[in-house]
């Protein structure tokens, strides 16, 4: 089952950095950006996370929480967060529970070989827990700006 636009996103709880658990329902009243990335500490994922980090004050002003998700273990996520000075939590989704809710596990090709992995994707959830916008098959350059613009517009309504 995958989320659909303008429908409530199923609640989930998942282990995250900072010795926390992210529970979606506890974020009601705020907008939430959940971005999925293939692997911590790789170049594209580092750039994407940095782009979100650098825009966090504007996301905060738009009442929007940022959460990153990958299948990396919690230690890899902690190291990635610390090294890049990310000012938001990263979920360790080793069992793919959150990935499956958002249907981001895809067959991918790298260097001519097929493997299963996370398709870089971002979701904007409104303050009532409904999926407001989605971006799938994301290209990193300019993406955080596009998401920020959408979050600010949604907050203004």
């Amino acid at each position: 089952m995958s989320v659909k636009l303008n429908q409530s996103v199923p609640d989930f709880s998942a282990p995250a950095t900072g010795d926390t658990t992210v529970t979606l329902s506890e974020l009601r009243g705020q907008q939430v950006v959940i971005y999925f990335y293939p692997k911590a500490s790789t170049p594209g994922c580092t750039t994407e996370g940095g782009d979100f980090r650098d825009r966090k004050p504007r996301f905060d002003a738009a009442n929007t929480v940022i959460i990153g998700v990958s299948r990396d273990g919690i230690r890899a996520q902690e190291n990635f967060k610390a090294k890049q000075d990310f000012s938001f939590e990263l979920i360790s989704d080793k069992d793919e529970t959150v990935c499956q809710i958002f249907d981001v596990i895809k067959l991918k090709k790298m260097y001519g070989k097929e493997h299963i992995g996370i398709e870089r994707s971002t979701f904007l959830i409104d303050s009532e827990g409904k999926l407001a916008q989605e971006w799938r098959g994301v290209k990193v350059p300019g993406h955080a700006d596009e998401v920020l613009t959408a979050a600010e517009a949604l907050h203004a309504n």
Side-chain angles (χ1 to χ4, degrees), residues 116-157:
I116 298 289
I118 289 181
E119 176 185 53
R120 192 181 306 278
S121 308
T122 303
F123 301 86
L124 175 60
I125 300 168
D126 71 15
S127 58
E128 295 169 6
K130 290 190 173 133
L131 182 62
Q133 206 158 341
E134 64 181 11
W135 296 263
R136 293 183 181 271
V138 165
K139 301 286 181 249
V140 172
H143 176 63
D145 283 325
E146 196 179 330
V147 177
L148 176 60
T149 299
E152 289 174 334
L154 184 62
H155 181 64
N157 284 342

Side-chain angles (χ1 to χ4, degrees), residues 32-45:
V32 181
V33 166
I34 299 181
Y35 79 95
F36 291 84
Y37 56 94
K39 190 154 180 55
S41 301
T42 56
C45 300

Side-chain angles (χ1 to χ4, degrees), residues 13 16 26-27 37 54 56 64 66 74 103 127 133 143 154:
S13 289
E26 290 175 3
L27 300 172
Y37 56 94
D54 296 347
K56 186 170 183 299
T64 305
I66 302 167
I74 201 72
D103 190 29
S127 58
Q133 206 158 341
H143 176 63
L154 184 62

Side-chain angles (χ1 to χ4, degrees), residues 2-40:
S2 147
V3 295
K4 300 208 175 347
L5 282 174
N6 304 315
Q7 292 190 351
S8 291
V9 175
D11 195 21
F12 64 82
S13 289
T17 49
D19 203 24
T20 62
T21 298
V22 171
T23 301
L24 186 63
S25 59
E26 290 175 3
L27 300 172
R28 287 271 158 80
Q30 302 172 86
Q31 297 177 166
V32 181
V33 166
I34 299 181
Y35 79 95
F36 291 84
Y37 56 94
K39 190 154 180 55

